[in-house]
């Protein structure tokens, strides 16, 4: 298969023939010698879309965290 390099504005474009399966929408591009390598970029998982995150109780977590509990004054420190 052969494709032509085309000028598109300030960029150059290589078309992907319909016989080649495209697995992603975004690719990284690098030169390896005289070869151009296109690698699909893995989609990032949205950690906030999970069931665990949607059910997370921030206030309860603060109440149970020992580091966030009120402390007894030892000296002259001011605790607001």
């Amino acid at each position: 298969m052969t494709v032509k390099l085309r000028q598109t504005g300030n960029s150059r474009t290589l078309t992907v023939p319909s016989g080649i399966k495209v697995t992603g929408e975004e690719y990284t591009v690098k030169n390896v010698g005289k070869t151009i390598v296109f690698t699909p970029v893995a989609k990032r998982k949205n950690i906030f879309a999970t069931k665990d995150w949607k059910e997370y109780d921030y206030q309860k977590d603060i109440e149970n965290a020992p580091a966030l509990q009120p402390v007894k004054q030892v000296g002259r420190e001011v605790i607001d």
Side-chain angles (χ1 to χ4, degrees):
M1 246 183 266
T2 304
V3 295
K4 286 191 174 187
L5 185 65
R6 303 177 196 278
Q7 188 73 28
T8 307
N10 291 331
S11 299
R12 293 179 286 177
T13 304
L14 289 171
T15 57
V16 179
S18 60
I20 296 178
K21 183 179 179 184
V22 179
T23 59
E25 294 180 8
E26 195 172 335
Y27 291 80
T28 58
V29 182
K30 65 180 176 180
N31 284 329
V32 179
K34 292 184 176 183
T35 305
I36 301 170
V37 178
F38 291 86
T39 307
V41 176
K43 290 186 178 181
R44 295 182 186 191
K45 186 176 179 182
N46 182 357
I47 62 168
F48 302 108
T50 63
K51 181 181 176 190
D52 291 337
W53 182 257
K54 290 178 182 177
E55 294 176 357
Y56 177 69
D57 187 356
Y58 182 72
Q59 293 299 323
K60 182 178 177 185
D61 203 20
I62 288 177
E63 291 170 5
N64 295 332
L68 300 175
Q69 299 304 313
V71 295
K72 185 178 176 185
Q73 285 182 288
V74 177
R76 300 168 128 198
E77 60 268 346
V78 177
I79 301 176
D80 288 327

